[in-house]
DNA sequence: CATGCGTGGAT
DNA sequence: TATCCAAGCAT
């Protein structure tokens, strides 16, 4: 009756990875692991998981933290709204539930940044409730097994896979089952060349029997990434730099970066577009970097960095001066961190 | 429902 | 080198 579930559990017992969040059932730690791993590979997320829990060991330490600290721990991981939502959610849980994690699926869904997948993951792993945690791995596995042609992301597919997994997930150890599905799909039923030879489910697989493994899941048409041209200007008097906290409604919300101009083509704008009036001390362009091509999921960034020397830092709205030493405590986009590190290395040899 | 949100590793 | 993507979610 439930061959697929049994085979998955059997496979999991013998092949599961020894990951840190597999050793705990504390909903807080499970929650953190799920948010870290959202759209993120295990190899990339694992150090962030450790660092985060070391800095914020429980819901109270997280709730009491400064937002800036939470962002700083998240620096370099991407999708920074996750950090913002974690912090906001921790405060919400402390306030509404006195810091005790809700164990009801519906209440978990009310938490900012917790959707159907994470709610099911927490409910099943931390509270042993049989909610199917259906992520990208699960969609790939079950569309192949059952030959489901519905498009990834469609509500029809969500409904259909939920129906199927609901009939398979065991009442006992549903958390193990959910993790079995994900581990199995990420190790055996992989996106590119699935290991069908060694697959214990090969006898049940529609895709394999029709030699159509890579036809599933059916992906939505992808649009071409938009180009975006950003030119950064590092106004420096040798001691301080002009920086700002980025506003909402754009990439890298609440992170820091430098004065910049943007244009719709590769033609490079000039830094004095930023400075309305002539500055008595004048400016010296000391260095202009090559164009750095930065590929994001939905846009391609073409970025340059210009070092602008001056005796007195110009006044630009929303920007303020910070000493070079203080910069290390602030959260930066990875792109900017890389440049700052390179800059720091070069300046330690050649005196600026 | 379509779109925006990051990063670094695999191919 | 260019493309694709990896344990989603909010809007």
């Amino acid at each position: 009756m439930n061959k697929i579930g049994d085979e998955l559990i059997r496979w999991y017992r013998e092949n599961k990875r020894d990951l840190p969040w597999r050793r705990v059932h504390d909903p807080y730690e499970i929650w953190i692991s799920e948010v870290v791993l959202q759209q993120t590979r295990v190899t990339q997320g694992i150090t962030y998981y450790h660092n985060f829990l070391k800095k914020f060991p429980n819901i109270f330490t997280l709730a009491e933290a400064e937002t800036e600290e939470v962002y700083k721990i998240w620096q370099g991981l991407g999708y920074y709204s996750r950090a913002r939502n974690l912090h906001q959610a921790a405060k919400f849980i402390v306030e509404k539930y006195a810091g005790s994690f809700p164990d009801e699926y519906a209440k978990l869904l009310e938490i900012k940044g917790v959707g159907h997948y994470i709610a099911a993951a927490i409910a099943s792993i931390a509270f042993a409730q049989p909610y199917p945690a259906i992520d990208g791995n699960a969609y790939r596995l079950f569309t192949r097994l059952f030959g489901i042609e519905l498009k990834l992301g469609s509500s029809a597919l969500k409904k259909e896979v939920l129906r199927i997994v609901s009939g398979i997930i065991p009442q006992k150890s549903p958390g193990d089952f959910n993790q079995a599905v994900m581990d199995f799909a990420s190790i055996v039923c992989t996106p590119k060349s699935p290991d069908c030879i060694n697959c214990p489910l090969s006898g049940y697989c529609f895709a394999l029997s029709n030699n159509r493994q890579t036809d599933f899941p059916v992906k939505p048409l992808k649009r071409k990434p938009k180009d975006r041209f950003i030119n950064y200007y590092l106004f420096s008097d040798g001691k301080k730099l002009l920086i700002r906290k980025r506003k909402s409604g754009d990439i890298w919300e609440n992170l820091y970066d430098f004065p910049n101009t943007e244009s719709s083509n590769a033609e490079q704008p000039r830094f004095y577009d930023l400075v309305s009036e002539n500055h008595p001390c004048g400016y010296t362009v000391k260095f202009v970097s090559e164009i750095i091509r930065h590929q994001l999921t939905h846009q391609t960034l073409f970025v340059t960095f210009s070092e602008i020397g001056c005796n007195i830092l110009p006044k630009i709205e929303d920007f303020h001066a910070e000493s070079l030493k203080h910069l290390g405590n602030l959260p930066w986009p990875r792109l900017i961190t890389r440049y700052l590190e390179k800059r720091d290395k070069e300046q330690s040899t050649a005196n600026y």
Side-chain angles (χ1 to χ4, degrees), chain A residues 154-175:
Chain A
S154 69
S155 54
L157 179 66
K158 289 175 188 168
K159 193 177 167 190
E160 177 63 1
V161 174
L162 178 61
R163 186 185 68 77
I164 289 172
V165 184
S166 296
I168 297 176
I169 189 170
Q171 300 297 307
K172 189 187 166 192
S173 304

Side-chain angles (χ1 to χ4, degrees), chain A residues 106-346:
Chain A
K107 287 184 177 171
L108 290 168
L109 272 182
E110 292 172 5
I111 298 169
K112 200 80 163 189
V114 173
H116 288 97
Y117 164 76
I118 293 183
I122 296 172
S124 65
I125 298 169
F127 301 118
Q129 298 171 16
Y131 288 91
I134 301 166
D135 69 334
N137 288 308
Y139 284 116
R140 186 172 61 253
L141 174 61
F142 290 105
T143 53
R144 283 175 178 171
L145 278 175
F146 296 97
I148 304 169
E149 310 268 4
L150 298 168
K151 197 182 293 181
L152 206 55
S154 69
S155 54
L157 179 66
K158 289 175 188 168
K159 193 177 167 190
E160 177 63 1
V161 174
L162 178 61
R163 186 185 68 77
I164 289 172
V165 184
S166 296
I168 297 176
I169 189 170
Q171 300 297 307
K172 189 187 166 192
S173 304
D176 282 349
F177 171 83
N178 281 332
Q179 296 186 84
V181 169
M182 293 187 279
D183 243 21
F184 179 81
S186 65
I187 291 171
V188 179
C189 199
T190 54
K192 296 260 170 79
S193 13
D195 190 10
C196 303
I197 304 295
N198 300 309
C199 177
L201 299 179
S202 58
Y204 312 105
C205 185
F206 175 93
L208 175 63
S209 63
N210 291 274
N211 197 25
R212 289 181 55 198
Q213 293 92 318
T214 51
D215 287 356
F216 303 99
V218 178
K219 288 169 203 149
L221 268 47
K222 42 184 163 280
R223 301 172 328 117
K224 192 187 169 190
K226 288 175 182 168
D227 290 343
R228 186 167 176 177
F229 303 90
I230 305 176
N231 297 281
Y232 280 111
Y233 307 101
L234 281 69
F235 289 94
S236 174
D237 59 3
K239 293 174 188 165
K240 292 187 170 184
L241 273 175
L242 281 191
I243 64 168
R244 65 148 175 186
K245 181 182 273 198
R246 292 183 62 93
K247 303 293 184 216
S248 34
D250 196 5
I251 194 173
W252 302 321
E253 180 172 336
N254 289 1
L255 272 64
Y256 288 81
D257 70 354
F258 306 114
N260 65 78
T261 57
E262 289 199 38
S263 52
S264 53
N265 55 50
E267 183 186 332
Q268 191 173 326
R270 314 174 74 163
F271 71 88
Y272 50 76
D273 290 349
L274 288 163
V275 189
S276 53
E277 57 194 87
N278 286 332
H279 202 269
C281 69
Y283 304 101
T284 314
V285 179
K286 298 194 171 182
F287 170 76
V288 181
S289 76
E290 298 292 306
I291 296 174
I292 298 164
R293 191 174 183 282
H294 195 70
Q295 185 67 54
L296 306 178
T297 305
H298 294 292
Q299 54 185 333
T300 307
L301 269 37
F302 298 86
V303 183
T304 62
F305 292 92
S306 302
E307 298 275 351
I308 313 296
C310 45
N311 298 325
I312 304 166
L313 292 169
K315 289 194 187 346
I316 303 176
E317 203 174 351
D318 292 336
F319 289 83
H320 62 282
E322 283 294 349
S323 70
L324 300 175
K325 199 174 178 182
H326 182 50
L327 298 182
N329 301 322
L330 300 172
W332 302 87
R334 192 71 186 84
L335 172 77
I336 303 291
T337 309
R338 252 198 293 270
Y339 183 75
L340 285 176
E341 285 169 357
K342 176 167 159 281
R343 183 180 187 272
D344 188 49
K345 200 175 296 175
E346 285 169 3

Side-chain angles (χ1 to χ4, degrees), chain A residues 6-16 179-180 183-185 187-188 198 200:
Chain A
D6 294 345
E7 290 292 353
L8 285 170
I9 295 287
R10 186 200 318 282
W11 179 92
Y12 185 65
R13 265 203 294 271
E14 293 171 13
N15 299 285
K16 72 171 181 178
Q179 296 186 84
D183 243 21
F184 179 81
I187 291 171
V188 179
N198 300 309

Side-chain angles (χ1 to χ4, degrees), chain A residues 31-97:
Chain A
W31 175 47
I32 301 302
S33 77
E34 294 302 338
V35 175
V36 164
L37 287 157
Q38 180 184 329
Q39 299 289 279
T40 303
R41 291 169 198 283
V42 167
T43 50
Q44 188 189 2
I46 197 160
T47 58
Y48 283 86
Y49 172 80
H50 287 304
N51 293 343
F52 195 98
L53 286 179
K54 190 173 179 186
K55 177 90 177 175
F56 310 113
N58 55 57
I59 192 104
F60 300 103
T61 50
L62 179 57
E64 288 161 10
E66 294 294 324
T67 310
E68 204 102 301
E69 296 179 278
V70 185
Y71 271 95
K72 187 62 186 177
I73 286 287
W74 211 262
Q75 175 178 296
L77 193 56
Y79 286 155
Y80 298 95
S81 63
R82 292 182 289 177
R84 186 172 61 253
N85 288 337
L86 278 176
H87 189 220
Q88 189 180 324
K91 290 195 279 192
F92 171 77
I93 293 167
V94 166
E95 199 174 311
K96 182 159 182 177
Y97 302 110

